[in-house]
Amino acid sequence: MTRYLQIWLASARYSIVRTMMFRFDFFLWAMVELFWMSVNLLMIGVIYTQTKSIAGWSMYEMLLLVGTSLLVQRFLMGFFWSSIFEMGRNIRSGYFDFFLAQPGNILFMATTRKLDPDGLVNSFVAMGVVAYAAHKLGLHPSALDLVLYALMILCGLVIHYSMLVISVSLAFWITSAQGVEGIYFTLTEFSRLPREAFRGLASLAFVWLLPVVVVSNAPAQTILHGFQPIWALALVGAAALWFSAALVVFHLGLRRYNSASS
Amino acid sequence: MNKYFHAFLLGLQSNLVYRWNFAVRGFFSMFHLTVVFILWGAAYTGNHSIGGFSFAQTLTYFLVMLVMQFFVGAFNEDYQISEEIRNGLINQFLLKPINYFLYRFSIFIAARLVTGLLILIPLAITIPLLRDYLTLPTEMWRIPLGLVAMAQSALIQFSIAYCFGMLTFWFLEIQGFVILSMAVESILGGQMFPLDLLPAGVFRVAQFLPFYYQTYFPVAIFTGRISASGAIAQGLVIQLFWVVTLLTVNQVLWTRGLRRHTAVGG
């Protein structure tokens, strides 16, 4: 465990040094992420100029939900996105050999190699959105609620990570399919919606089968209405299930991998 | 003209190779439509109209926009142009009697023909499910005017992508600029919400920007969000102004960019 922590710290240090070398790139990508976050917030603002409630959620409750969803996504972008995105490209090109030759867990090595400080910087903006919404709602969550919120965000991160690994692992089977990681972005759009808005088949598909809605709704509910064990259990269960599924799919895919390099 | 027709045929063939990629993209865009349906459906609960339009009119707006984008949207033309400049593939066009803009535009038309036809497959499945939630105005004059606006929108979208591609003469990596611009376009082009929901002052300013004419304007004509003949005529003129301006900017960037270009390799 300590060895993996040391490896991760070395990778993180390298990523930060690299970012400092390309400062304009860092600034530009931080702006890109900030703009896209603003797009989502602006959309909420505009809809609420026309209505008072969306599925029973007021504007600031919705802002807290969207902020939570963006927070999980920023962490994913900051800690894993570049590595997992490159993983798909490396599988297609055959450069994935590089990771097979490394003395460590292949999935760990392949998915934690690069850190994106621009994504992490924007996670503070997402936290600011959540704090602002909570302030406007007059909420005063206890320290325990905040710890539970953080743990639920962690579970959400595990679910997002697993979904992205599964999407990208499809490259082991369909090497010609580019842009499979786009599937992940399409699915995360659902995480910005309140659970109460889903009915019938949509509820079954996006709340229970694909836990994209639970990922954001469970932590947001904890801040809004206090700890609800049913939400926490659903989230922990989904995180364990999806992480196991990611491990299985990745290792099944790995068996099919045949180096494309000469 | 014959040479550009051959470029068009070439584009048709190369895009058909990636038909499954486009089909998957089309399929997943239906998921985006599901998000729109759930979000706006919840917003309309208890409201008969938002901004003066019913739920069916708003859903139709998003559906028409999605379909139109598969016919005229610039997907990855900026990256393709950027790659050709960076890899030196552009050098071959400098030695041949071929206009690079027209060559790329011919390929763009071919690509949109393929993606436009492919989106009709998931659409054929989706429309029967959403039939009760869709409504289109019956005035026939909207079709020719909408098609003119759509053609000009294609030129604007391609020209913006071409401009970003040209930036490769100055910057090695254009991806950041493109995605930044996509965020602005998604808001000011009305892809996130109908622009008429913006406060009146902001909406008025948006009407003078090119993004408005990229997507919102043709869709608004087709779906009945714009009806006044004066507003449509004024919109078409401003749209034409942006087409001419962007084509001029394209030419300037191409000429200036070539001065900086170093053709390496054989």
Side-chain angles (χ1 to χ4, degrees):
Chain A
M1 198 68 187
T2 320
R3 190 167 71 97
Y4 281 109
L5 185 66
Q6 282 174 335
I7 293 171
W8 184 80
L9 283 173
S11 300
R13 198 178 307 124
Y14 164 77
S15 298
I16 290 166
V17 169
R18 195 181 147 78
T19 302
M20 288 166 76
M21 283 166 64
F22 300 100
R23 283 184 289 271
F24 178 73
D25 265 15
F26 166 74
F27 175 74
L28 184 67
W29 280 105
M31 288 301 290
V32 167
E33 294 210 8
L34 190 64
F35 263 60
W36 273 107
M37 287 168 74
S38 311
V39 165
N40 286 294
L41 299 175
L42 198 63
M43 183 178 74
I44 297 300
V46 168
I47 296 176
Y48 275 97
T49 58
Q50 309 290 329
T51 184
K52 284 194 171 65
S53 144
I54 294 178
W57 289 56
S58 69
M59 186 174 90
Y60 289 110
E61 287 174 333
M62 192 74 176
L63 204 60
L64 197 142
L65 176 72
V66 174
T68 302
S69 162
L70 291 174
L71 183 60
V72 178
Q73 208 177 13
R74 284 320 100 191
F75 280 142
L76 185 94
M77 301 303 278
F79 287 115
F80 305 110
W81 169 255
S82 289
S83 309
I84 300 179
F85 178 75
E86 276 188 16
M87 187 172 97
R89 220 165 43 184
N90 290 336
I91 293 167
R92 283 192 289 270
S93 65
Y95 287 120
F96 198 65
D97 295 3
F98 173 74
F99 295 96
L100 300 180
Q102 287 183 348
N105 180 288
I106 300 166
L107 185 60
F108 177 84
M109 293 298 202
T111 58
T112 60
R113 190 159 174 251
K114 284 186 178 171
L115 202 74
D116 277 326
D118 40 291
L120 294 176
V121 165
N122 277 307
S123 64
F124 289 105
V125 179
M127 280 184 225
V129 171
V130 172
Y132 173 72
H135 169 71
K136 281 287 184 184
L137 289 165
L139 297 172
H140 302 285
S142 65
L144 183 66
D145 283 340
L146 290 176
V147 171
L148 287 167
Y149 179 81
L151 287 174
M152 287 182 176
I153 293 287
L154 187 67
C155 285
L157 184 61
V158 171
I159 293 172
H160 275 226
Y161 169 88
S162 307
M163 281 168 52
L164 191 55
V165 166
I166 291 172
S167 318
V168 170
S169 295
L170 293 179
F172 283 118
W173 285 273
I174 23 176
T175 44
S176 64
Q178 290 178 15
V180 280
E181 36 315 298
I183 298 171
Y184 162 77
F185 284 105
T186 307
L187 291 176
T188 53
E189 279 193 64
F190 290 95
S191 72
R192 291 173 212 130
L193 301 176
R195 189 251 167 278
E196 290 78 2
F198 291 80
R199 292 204 182 97
L201 263 180
S203 173
L204 180 73
F206 302 109
V207 180
W208 302 114
L209 288 179
L210 293 165
V212 280
V213 177
V214 183
V215 160
S216 53
N217 277 251
Q221 291 276 8
T222 303
I223 295 279
L224 286 168
H225 308 296
F227 179 63
Q228 291 165 316
I230 187 76
W231 278 106
L233 272 174
L235 196 61
V236 172
L241 200 72
W242 277 86
F243 188 64
S244 309
L247 288 178
V248 170
V249 172
F250 176 76
H251 284 100
L252 280 176
L254 207 54
R255 283 196 211 160
R256 287 185 59 92
Y257 176 69
N258 39 29
S259 164
S261 57
S262 55
Chain B
M1 217 47 207
N2 196 28
K3 55 194 171 191
Y4 299 111
F5 181 66
H6 281 287
F8 169 80
L9 292 178
L10 199 73
L12 217 52
Q13 285 172 26
S14 61
N15 278 285
L16 280 170
V17 172
Y18 293 104
R19 59 191 177 277
W20 286 111
N21 276 16
F22 291 128
V24 168
R25 185 182 278 194
F27 174 73
F28 274 96
S29 57
M30 292 302 143
F31 276 85
H32 170 70
L33 204 63
T34 312
V35 173
V36 167
F37 183 80
I38 295 171
L39 176 65
W40 287 90
Y44 267 96
T45 307
N47 296 310
H48 286 300
S49 98
I50 286 184
F53 297 96
S54 68
F55 177 52
Q57 284 174 305
T58 299
L59 193 66
T60 307
Y61 166 85
F62 282 108
L63 182 74
V64 171
M65 176 162 292
L66 192 144
V67 176
M68 192 196 78
Q69 277 302 82
F70 273 87
F71 275 103
V72 298
F75 283 171
N76 55 358
E77 278 66 22
D78 29 32
Y79 294 125
Q80 288 173 358
I81 294 167
S82 174
E83 281 294 299
E84 287 192 347
I85 295 173
R86 217 168 24 194
N87 296 340
L89 286 169
I90 206 168
N91 301 344
Q92 58 179 311
F93 297 101
L94 306 177
L95 304 170
K96 291 175 188 164
I98 189 164
N99 180 300
Y100 184 65
F101 179 88
L102 288 176
Y103 164 77
R104 289 291 344 171
F105 190 63
S106 308
I107 292 178
F108 167 73
I109 296 171
R112 287 303 75 86
L113 190 65
V114 173
T115 54
L117 292 176
L118 279 172
I119 191 67
L120 297 180
I121 301 167
L123 198 67
I125 302 166
T126 314
I127 283 188
L129 299 172
L130 293 176
R131 202 175 42 208
D132 296 340
Y133 300 100
L134 300 174
T135 177
L136 274 169
T138 48
E139 300 105 323
M140 293 307 285
W141 57 263
R142 290 186 183 278
I143 297 172
L145 288 180
L147 286 174
V148 171
M150 197 169 141
Q152 296 202 115
S153 154
L155 274 165
I156 290 178
Q157 298 209 48
F158 177 75
S159 294
I160 290 178
Y162 190 84
C163 283
F164 278 113
M166 291 294 111
L167 286 184
T168 312
F169 285 122
W170 289 270
F171 301 92
L172 264 179
E173 188 55 73
I174 59 152
Q175 203 180 11
F177 296 112
V178 171
I179 301 179
L180 196 66
S181 154
M182 274 165 64
V184 178
E185 289 167 29
S186 70
I187 283 286
L188 294 173
Q191 293 170 32
M192 304 301 285
F193 50 82
L195 281 183
D196 41 75
L197 297 185
L198 282 170
V202 183
F203 181 54
R204 190 77 194 125
V205 172
Q207 283 174 307
F208 291 98
L209 301 174
F211 313 111
Y212 177 94
Y213 299 96
Q214 258 186 290
T215 37
Y216 176 81
F217 183 58
V219 176
I221 295 177
F222 282 129
T223 58
R225 294 188 96 92
I226 303 179
S227 290
S229 55
I232 294 177
Q234 188 198 41
L236 285 171
V237 171
I238 299 176
Q239 196 181 29
L240 183 64
F241 163 79
W242 279 114
V243 169
V244 174
T245 305
L246 286 163
L247 288 176
T248 312
V249 173
N250 283 340
Q251 194 51 40
V252 170
L253 287 175
W254 170 253
T255 318
R256 297 217 162 205
L258 277 185
R259 284 189 209 153
R260 294 178 57 92
H261 183 58
T262 314
V264 182

PDB file of all heavy atoms in Angstrom, chain A residues 10 27 75 84 121 180 189 217 219 237 260:
ATOM      1  N   ALA A  10       4.870  10.182  -6.726  1.00  0.00           N
ATOM      2  CA  ALA A  10       5.882  10.494  -7.744  1.00  0.00           C
ATOM      3  C   ALA A  10       5.198  10.943  -9.036  1.00  0.00           C
ATOM      4  O   ALA A  10       5.619  11.925  -9.672  1.00  0.00           O
ATOM      5  CB  ALA A  10       6.749   9.264  -7.996  1.00  0.00           C
ATOM      6  N   PHE A  27      -3.782  27.315 -17.593  1.00  0.00           N
ATOM      7  CA  PHE A  27      -4.755  28.410 -17.489  1.00  0.00           C
ATOM      8  C   PHE A  27      -5.921  28.171 -18.451  1.00  0.00           C
ATOM      9  O   PHE A  27      -7.087  28.286 -18.077  1.00  0.00           O
ATOM     10  CB  PHE A  27      -4.046  29.741 -17.790  1.00  0.00           C
ATOM     11  CG  PHE A  27      -4.974  30.912 -17.829  1.00  0.00           C
ATOM     12  CD1 PHE A  27      -5.504  31.434 -16.658  1.00  0.00           C
ATOM     13  CD2 PHE A  27      -5.342  31.487 -19.039  1.00  0.00           C
ATOM     14  CE1 PHE A  27      -6.374  32.502 -16.689  1.00  0.00           C
ATOM     15  CE2 PHE A  27      -6.211  32.560 -19.077  1.00  0.00           C
ATOM     16  CZ  PHE A  27      -6.735  33.069 -17.902  1.00  0.00           C
ATOM     17  N   PHE A  75     -13.354  15.934  -9.582  1.00  0.00           N
ATOM     18  CA  PHE A  75     -12.378  15.016  -8.970  1.00  0.00           C
ATOM     19  C   PHE A  75     -11.971  13.944  -9.975  1.00  0.00           C
ATOM     20  O   PHE A  75     -10.797  13.591 -10.084  1.00  0.00           O
ATOM     21  CB  PHE A  75     -12.964  14.360  -7.712  1.00  0.00           C
ATOM     22  CG  PHE A  75     -12.915  15.241  -6.489  1.00  0.00           C
ATOM     23  CD1 PHE A  75     -13.946  15.255  -5.568  1.00  0.00           C
ATOM     24  CD2 PHE A  75     -11.815  16.064  -6.252  1.00  0.00           C
ATOM     25  CE1 PHE A  75     -13.906  16.067  -4.443  1.00  0.00           C
ATOM     26  CE2 PHE A  75     -11.756  16.885  -5.133  1.00  0.00           C
ATOM     27  CZ  PHE A  75     -12.804  16.887  -4.230  1.00  0.00           C
ATOM     28  N   ILE A  84      -7.065   7.672 -17.969  1.00  0.00           N
ATOM     29  CA  ILE A  84      -8.024   6.704 -18.528  1.00  0.00           C
ATOM     30  C   ILE A  84      -8.269   6.991 -20.010  1.00  0.00           C
ATOM     31  O   ILE A  84      -8.379   6.071 -20.820  1.00  0.00           O
ATOM     32  CB  ILE A  84      -9.355   6.703 -17.726  1.00  0.00           C
ATOM     33  CG1 ILE A  84      -9.078   6.327 -16.263  1.00  0.00           C
ATOM     34  CG2 ILE A  84     -10.349   5.720 -18.324  1.00  0.00           C
ATOM     35  CD1 ILE A  84     -10.302   6.321 -15.358  1.00  0.00           C
ATOM     36  N   VAL A 121      -8.296  22.313  -9.474  1.00  0.00           N
ATOM     37  CA  VAL A 121      -8.526  23.719  -9.117  1.00  0.00           C
ATOM     38  C   VAL A 121     -10.023  24.017  -9.171  1.00  0.00           C
ATOM     39  O   VAL A 121     -10.592  24.648  -8.280  1.00  0.00           O
ATOM     40  CB  VAL A 121      -7.748  24.656 -10.081  1.00  0.00           C
ATOM     41  CG1 VAL A 121      -8.242  26.095  -9.981  1.00  0.00           C
ATOM     42  CG2 VAL A 121      -6.264  24.614  -9.768  1.00  0.00           C
ATOM     43  N   VAL A 180     -15.360   6.337 -27.329  1.00  0.00           N
ATOM     44  CA  VAL A 180     -16.264   5.603 -26.436  1.00  0.00           C
ATOM     45  C   VAL A 180     -16.391   6.299 -25.086  1.00  0.00           C
ATOM     46  O   VAL A 180     -17.394   6.143 -24.391  1.00  0.00           O
ATOM     47  CB  VAL A 180     -15.833   4.129 -26.216  1.00  0.00           C
ATOM     48  CG1 VAL A 180     -16.251   3.253 -27.366  1.00  0.00           C
ATOM     49  CG2 VAL A 180     -14.366   4.011 -25.920  1.00  0.00           C
ATOM     50  N   GLU A 189     -24.848  13.442 -17.577  1.00  0.00           N
ATOM     51  CA  GLU A 189     -25.871  14.499 -17.695  1.00  0.00           C
ATOM     52  C   GLU A 189     -27.047  14.192 -16.766  1.00  0.00           C
ATOM     53  O   GLU A 189     -27.688  15.091 -16.237  1.00  0.00           O
ATOM     54  CB  GLU A 189     -26.390  14.576 -19.130  1.00  0.00           C
ATOM     55  CG  GLU A 189     -25.499  15.353 -20.077  1.00  0.00           C
ATOM     56  CD  GLU A 189     -26.212  15.648 -21.382  1.00  0.00           C
ATOM     57  OE1 GLU A 189     -27.210  16.371 -21.356  1.00  0.00           O
ATOM     58  OE2 GLU A 189     -25.771  15.125 -22.430  1.00  0.00           O
ATOM     59  N   ASN A 217     -27.444  12.704  -5.975  1.00  0.00           N
ATOM     60  CA  ASN A 217     -28.611  12.931  -5.103  1.00  0.00           C
ATOM     61  C   ASN A 217     -28.355  12.513  -3.656  1.00  0.00           C
ATOM     62  O   ASN A 217     -28.817  13.194  -2.729  1.00  0.00           O
ATOM     63  CB  ASN A 217     -29.836  12.191  -5.651  1.00  0.00           C
ATOM     64  CG  ASN A 217     -30.547  12.977  -6.730  1.00  0.00           C
ATOM     65  OD1 ASN A 217     -31.636  13.493  -6.532  1.00  0.00           O
ATOM     66  ND2 ASN A 217     -29.908  13.116  -7.891  1.00  0.00           N
ATOM     67  N   PRO A 219     -25.440  12.414  -1.719  1.00  0.00           N
ATOM     68  CA  PRO A 219     -24.740  13.408  -0.887  1.00  0.00           C
ATOM     69  C   PRO A 219     -25.531  14.710  -0.737  1.00  0.00           C
ATOM     70  O   PRO A 219     -25.552  15.302   0.353  1.00  0.00           O
ATOM     71  CB  PRO A 219     -23.423  13.664  -1.632  1.00  0.00           C
ATOM     72  CG  PRO A 219     -23.436  12.849  -2.849  1.00  0.00           C
ATOM     73  CD  PRO A 219     -24.665  12.030  -2.903  1.00  0.00           C
ATOM     74  N   GLY A 237     -23.348   0.277  -1.863  1.00  0.00           N
ATOM     75  CA  GLY A 237     -23.597  -0.957  -2.622  1.00  0.00           C
ATOM     76  C   GLY A 237     -23.264  -0.769  -4.087  1.00  0.00           C
ATOM     77  O   GLY A 237     -22.580  -1.593  -4.696  1.00  0.00           O
ATOM     78  N   ALA A 260      -0.143  -4.180 -30.535  1.00  0.00           N
ATOM     79  CA  ALA A 260      -0.171  -3.814 -31.954  1.00  0.00           C
ATOM     80  C   ALA A 260       1.173  -3.279 -32.409  1.00  0.00           C
ATOM     81  O   ALA A 260       1.375  -3.027 -33.578  1.00  0.00           O
ATOM     82  CB  ALA A 260      -1.249  -2.765 -32.179  1.00  0.00           C
TER      83      ALA A 260
END
